[in-house]
Amino acid sequence: MDIPYSSMGTIEDYEATWKPKRIQFRDHVRCVASLFKRYFEKFKTSDSWKVLIECVDEITEPGVRVYSGVCTVQVQFHVDTFFSMNDLEKKETTLDLMRKGIYTIISEEGWNEAPFEKAFEQVMAVKLVNEWFWKKPLLSSDRKYKASLYIVHEVTVVKAYLIILNKNNREVLRLEAFKERPNEWNYARYLGKLVWLSQNEVVLFNKNNETVRKATVSYEE
């Protein structure tokens, strides 16, 4: 989702007035958009690999446009109202805008609506909460502990927690691994690999093999 710059202003005007707003909007819709994407099953079309919903004050290009595999549609929305909403309202509005845009495309392109509706239903089933475990739990060499990374994707921030369970599946340690802008392309750099350095010490490495967070469990736990 995006809010295209429609003014005939200067580059300086865009940088000063529109770019910060655009970045914030794109970040704040990712909570719901990425949740939908995670539930959405593979879907093939003849000419598109991506859907882009443009939120505009007035629709200037009705209908669906496909360019370089990007299927674009405009949805009328006064974006300034978005920034005065609370987080739940932003989530609900994001989902509503996605529905309007996607179903316009489905209608015009003749796509099967079933996989889209299924994803929408799953998003609603979890009440718009975007929290998930990254990869499967990693066992320590003595099989006493399991380590995992838990991602909490809110509207305004993403936090990740390094969680360790004992062999009875009781949580014995939880540490904040990182905190970042609410955009998966921004925090993906932290998601390299989890490694047990010893029987009670685990570390999260980023994609450059640098330490993000280390956790040590006392054997008493």
Side-chain angles (χ1 to χ4, degrees), residues 114-151:
F116 296 92
E117 188 56 34
K118 182 179 179 181
F120 279 123
E121 289 174 355
Q122 289 176 307
V123 169
M124 291 302 298
V126 297
K127 299 180 180 179
L128 304 172
V129 175
N130 190 351
E131 299 182 6
W132 53 287
F133 281 99
W134 177 67
K135 295 189 174 182
K136 295 180 179 179
L138 184 66
L139 276 171
S140 59
S141 59
D142 59 1
R143 307 182 71 82
K144 288 185 177 180
Y145 300 109
K146 291 185 290 187
S148 56
L149 191 70
Y150 190 61
I151 310 292

Side-chain angles (χ1 to χ4, degrees), residues 83-146:
F83 301 110
S84 63
M85 297 176 182
N86 62 39
D87 285 0
L88 178 57
E89 290 170 336
K90 286 180 179 179
K91 288 182 179 184
E92 293 171 341
T93 298
T94 298
L95 192 67
D96 182 56
L97 292 170
M98 289 176 61
R99 277 188 182 275
K100 289 178 179 178
I102 287 173
Y103 277 96
T104 297
I105 294 172
I106 288 172
S107 176
E108 293 202 17
E109 297 294 304
W111 291 356
N112 178 13
E113 71 176 62
F116 296 92
E117 188 56 34
K118 182 179 179 181
F120 279 123
E121 289 174 355
Q122 289 176 307
V123 169
M124 291 302 298
V126 297
K127 299 180 180 179
L128 304 172
V129 175
N130 190 351
E131 299 182 6
W132 53 287
F133 281 99
W134 177 67
K135 295 189 174 182
K136 295 180 179 179
L138 184 66
L139 276 171
S140 59
S141 59
D142 59 1
R143 307 182 71 82
K144 288 185 177 180
Y145 300 109
K146 291 185 290 187

Side-chain angles (χ1 to χ4, degrees), residues 2 21 36 57-58 100 129 148-149 179 195 212:
D2 199 6
K21 181 187 297 187
F36 177 90
D57 287 338
E58 297 292 338
K100 289 178 179 178
V129 175
S148 56
L149 191 70
K179 181 179 179 180
V195 178
V212 176

